[in-house]
């Protein structure tokens, strides 16, 4: 079916803010599950410099259409019995979508089904997307509902057979045309630009590189132009994680930017999750990839410790993890001293603690700023006792305290690979990684102690992982206390 008429659009024309051709798509399915359900009909309205063309076809889903869905769409088992199967029309659909912005009302649904259907045939669908639900929300924020039904009512859009694919695609296109006429061109253009996004494979990356990714634990490196190291990450399933970088919504310009720059992906497989985590942390620390902001300053990690002054008042002090007295408790791990101070100030406000202790150290005697604002409960003015203050402070800080090291000395954590003899052994002391070794068979723990120590590494992610691993070792992970004799 083909036609070239749309009275609402003076063809040839493209949208303000979008100088690319469009494919407005609607599909009908046997249900809502992208993996279980199948497409029963597709309708496409193509818009490009030559004008507007419409195309649609029923598709035999090769599974029964549930009765409720048959009633909803009007598409019955009998109607699709002689229709082509998806693979028979896949090429036609692909050619109609190619090079166009994929537009749909709730684009995730239609695009998700099509991407999956193409994926089953070994095709990677890779389109720039525009969601008209989001477009409607952006252009008509005063409206509460943005379903196609509501939009059709609101604009009085004529529709002959609702819930049939082409009718709905046509209604979606009519909505776009009406909104374009309705809104100032620059508002419309801005909304379009904000809503289009590309869940794309990096343009400079060979698809074969992605095909070769292992579904196994490991650390991956993204390289850019001239072998510059852009990013290091880890996962128990490298393949899944790397692909998610390229298909997820790019929430930030930084993520988008990273994807644009990737030219190569290299993977180091590891024994398991712990090895991947530790290798990642070491790599990031040693090589400082451009895009790893999170772990970059790991060497300057700060924490809080409590010291008691002459009056018996417990005072939190900010120090680097390396300066900290590891025989005493550490409260929190902070990427910068400022973050530690902000945390203290927030705790102080919340608990009625004294600014002289929490914000700027001073001896009790004069009312602190917080007391003048009736926030401080009065350590400074003697209205609250030292004991009351200490108790409230300890209670609040307890929530950010690092767990006490549960062993008398260092332990060896031994991770065995799922499907080979390989192991990785790590010596951990007081939540810090102090040595590591990889090998095959059984590690010789006596020899492990003799390994050259790396600089002790305490990192937020490693700490979190170790707490979990030591309290409840995962399968394949063994904890061996090494004693304190050495
Ligand atoms: Zn005070």
């Amino acid at each position: 079916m083909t036609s070239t008429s749309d009275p609402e659009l003076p063809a040839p024309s493209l949208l303000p803010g979008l100088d690319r051709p469009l494919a407005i798509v609607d599909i009908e399915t046997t249900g809502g599950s992208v993996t279980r359900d199948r497409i029963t009909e597709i309708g496409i309205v193509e818009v490009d410099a030559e004008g507007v063309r419409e195309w649609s076809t029923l598709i035999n889903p090769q599974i029964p259409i549930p009765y409720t869905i048959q009633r909803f769409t009007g598409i019955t088992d009998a109607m699709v019995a002689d229709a082509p199967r998806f693979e028979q029309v896949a090429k036609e659909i692909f050619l109609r979508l190619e090079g166009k912005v994929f537009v749909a009302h709730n684009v995730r649904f239609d695009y998700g089904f099509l991407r999956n259907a193409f994926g089953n045939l070994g095709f990677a669908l890779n389109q720039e997307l525009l969601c008209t639900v989001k477009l409607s929300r952006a252009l008509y924020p005063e409206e509460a509902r943005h379903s196609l039904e509501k939009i059709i009512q609101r604009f009085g859009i004529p529709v002959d057979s609702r819930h049939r694919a082409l009718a709905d695609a046509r209604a979606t296109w009519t909505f776009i045309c009406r909104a374009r006429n309705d809104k100032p061109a620059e508002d419309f253009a801005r909304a379009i630009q904000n809503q289009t996004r590309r869940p794309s494979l990096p343009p400079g990356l060979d698809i074969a590189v992605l095909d070769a990714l292992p579904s196994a634990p490991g650390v991956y490196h993204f390289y850019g132009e001239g072998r510059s190291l852009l990013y290091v990450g880890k996962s128990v399933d490298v393949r899944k994680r790397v692909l998610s970088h390229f298909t997820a919504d790019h929430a930030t310009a930084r993520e988008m930017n990273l994807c644009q720059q990737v030219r190569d992906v290299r993977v180091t497989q590891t024994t398991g999750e712990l090895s991947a985590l530790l290798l990642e942390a070491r790599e990031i620390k040693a090589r400082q990839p451009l895009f790893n902001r999170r772990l970059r300053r790991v060497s300057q990690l700060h924490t809080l410790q409590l010291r008691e002054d002459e009056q018996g008042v417990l005072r939190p002090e900010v120090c680097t993890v390396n300066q900290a007295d590891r025989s005493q408790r550490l409260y929190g791990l902070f990427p910068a001293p400022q973050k530690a101070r902000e945390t203290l100030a927030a705790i102080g406000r919340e608990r009625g603690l004294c600014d002289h202790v929490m914000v700027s150290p001073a001896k009790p005697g004069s009312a602190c700023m917080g007391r003048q604002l009736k926030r401080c409960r009065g350590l400074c003015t003697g209205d609250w006792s030292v004991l009351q203050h200490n108790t409230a402070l300890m209670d609040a800080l307890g929530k950010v305290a690092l767990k006490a090291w549960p062993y008398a000395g260092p332990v060896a954590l031994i991770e065995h690979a799922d499907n080979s003899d390989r192991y990785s052994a790590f010596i951990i002391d007081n939540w810090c990684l102090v040595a590591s070794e990889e090998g095959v068979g059984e590690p010789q723990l006596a020899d492990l102690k003799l390994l050259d120590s790396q600089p002790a590494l305490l990192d937020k992610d490693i700490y979190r992982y170790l707490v979990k691993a030591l309290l409840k070792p995962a399968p394949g992970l063994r904890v061996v206390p090494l004693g304190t004799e050495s």
Side-chain angles (χ1 to χ4, degrees), residues 123-288:
F123 271 106
L125 201 57
N126 180 23
Q127 308 272 146
E128 193 173 5
L129 306 181
L130 173 62
C131 180
T132 46
V133 176
K134 289 182 183 169
L135 185 67
S136 175
R137 280 201 197 110
L139 289 171
Y140 301 97
E142 68 282 5
E143 299 290 347
R145 310 273 303 275
H146 299 273
S147 67
L148 193 54
E149 191 68 45
K150 285 284 161 200
I151 287 174
I152 287 170
Q153 282 175 17
R154 204 178 296 144
F155 287 88
I157 295 171
V159 183
D160 46 15
S161 45
R162 243 335 311 266
H163 301 303
R164 290 296 300 270
L166 187 58
D168 282 2
R170 206 184 276 148
T172 302
W173 170 237
T174 309
F175 159 65
I176 293 172
C177 294
R178 297 276 178 93
R180 191 193 59 170
N181 295 337
D182 194 25
K183 294 282 172 184
E186 58 273 28
D187 292 0
F188 184 84
R190 195 176 329 109
I192 289 275
Q193 277 158 1
N194 288 340
Q195 301 307 321
T196 44
R197 59 181 186 82
R198 179 172 275 278
S200 63
L201 296 179
L205 187 58
D206 186 344
I207 198 109
V209 169
L210 296 180
D211 286 344
L213 293 171
S215 291
V219 170
Y220 56 90
H221 297 71
F222 286 170
Y223 289 97
E225 207 67 67
R227 306 280 318 147
S228 57
L229 183 60
L230 300 175
Y231 185 83
V232 173
K234 58 113 208 328
S235 177
V236 288
D237 185 338
V238 167
R239 180 181 182 78
K240 207 167 150 192
R241 180 73 190 99
V242 168
L243 291 178
S244 81
H245 275 283
F246 305 140
T247 51
D249 290 345
H250 294 301
T252 64
R254 194 165 141 265
E255 282 171 44
M256 177 74 96
N257 195 3
L258 172 61
C259 278
Q260 293 292 325
Q261 293 188 37
V262 177
R263 295 290 177 277
D264 196 11
V265 181
R266 290 297 166 92
V267 176
T268 308
Q269 279 186 246
T270 60
T271 317
E273 189 182 1
L274 177 62
S275 324
L277 182 69
L278 294 171
L279 176 60
E280 180 203 34
R282 279 205 300 266
E283 284 282 287
I284 291 171
K285 208 178 156 195
R287 303 179 64 183
Q288 307 243 329

Side-chain angles (χ1 to χ4, degrees), residues 89-136:
V89 287
K91 188 181 168 193
E92 168 98 53
I93 295 171
F94 196 84
L95 291 174
R96 289 181 185 278
L97 299 180
E98 202 181 22
K100 299 196 179 74
V101 179
F102 187 109
V103 185
H105 204 70
N106 189 12
V107 74
R108 275 187 166 282
F109 180 85
D110 304 88
Y111 189 69
F113 263 93
L114 278 169
R115 190 174 51 185
N116 194 58
F118 276 111
N120 291 339
L121 301 177
F123 271 106
L125 201 57
N126 180 23
Q127 308 272 146
E128 193 173 5
L129 306 181
L130 173 62
C131 180
T132 46
V133 176
K134 289 182 183 169
L135 185 67
S136 175

Side-chain angles (χ1 to χ4, degrees), residues 1-3 21-25 42-48 53-56 89-102 118 127:
M1 177 160 64
T2 308
S3 84
L22 310 176
I24 299 98
V25 181
I42 179 167
I44 304 177
V45 177
E46 293 169 79
V47 182
D48 58 24
R53 292 180 304 285
E54 298 181 338
W55 180 83
S56 87
V89 287
K91 188 181 168 193
E92 168 98 53
I93 295 171
F94 196 84
L95 291 174
R96 289 181 185 278
L97 299 180
E98 202 181 22
K100 299 196 179 74
V101 179
F102 187 109
F118 276 111
Q127 308 272 146

Side-chain angles (χ1 to χ4, degrees), residues 354-356 368 371 376 378-380:
C354 185
D355 287 356
H356 288 345
C368 72
R371 186 67 185 156
C376 165
L379 176 74
C380 43

